[in-house]
Amino acid sequence: MKISIILIDRVAWLRWNRTATTVAGITNSLGTSPSQLNTPWDLVVDWSYTLYVTDRGAHRVQKFLRGQKNASTIAGQANGIAGSTPNTLYEPTGIFVHDNGDIYVADRNNYRVQYWSNGSSTGETFAGNGE
């Protein structure tokens, strides 16, 4: 089945259909290329229909512009390397995207929430102490 996401006054409504379309990632192929995901965990669609995915197995957050199959890494390392520095993540799970493009990422195995301002290459610890 297909899930269509319809935004009405910035509230998402789901509509079920009988067919599916892959909108992000290559089916049956995990990895760290811009078109691949490795254990996607959470997603958010913003007001411009940009899709944000926490790619837990690749320790990063991917941003897919509407209609694009290749993503850009906006948090963590594009090569999928985990870490605990301000510019790395270790199995990110949840995500919140502000209207201005800033993001908050639940960095599961670093026991923290990282804040990444829009366009930044490094994050700041917003909550937690990494322990």
Side-chain angles (χ1 to χ4, degrees):
M1 294 203 151
K2 176 181 178 181
I3 300 174
S4 297
I5 300 174
I6 302 166
L7 294 176
I8 300 172
D9 293 327
R10 294 189 180 180
V11 175
W13 296 90
L14 302 178
R15 181 180 68 196
W16 295 89
N17 294 315
R18 295 183 187 266
T19 59
T21 302
T22 300
V23 296
I26 300 172
T27 56
N28 298 321
S29 176
L30 63 87
T32 59
S33 79
S35 63
Q36 294 176 306
L37 296 169
N38 181 353
T39 319
W41 203 258
D42 193 14
L43 63 89
V44 171
V45 178
D46 74 6
W47 61 271
S48 67
Y49 301 102
T50 298
L51 174 66
Y52 299 81
V53 180
T54 54
D55 194 8
R56 183 175 170 183
H59 315 289
R60 63 189 182 175
V61 175
Q62 295 293 89
K63 178 180 176 179
F64 292 87
L65 298 176
R66 185 178 185 183
Q68 299 296 312
K69 297 286 184 179
N70 288 323
S72 58
T73 301
I74 60 167
Q77 300 298 300
N79 60 8
I81 301 297
S84 59
T85 62
N87 65 336
T88 59
L89 298 168
Y90 189 10
E91 293 192 3
T93 51
I95 184 171
F96 172 80
V97 179
H98 192 276
D99 286 344
N100 65 7
D102 295 348
I103 64 170
Y104 295 84
V105 181
D107 191 9
R108 180 180 185 263
N109 284 344
N110 283 322
Y111 310 101
R112 64 186 183 181
V113 174
Q114 286 294 93
Y115 165 77
W116 298 69
S117 62
N118 188 4
S120 178
S121 61
T122 189
E124 300 174 31
T125 300
F126 180 77
N129 60 8
E131 297 177 7

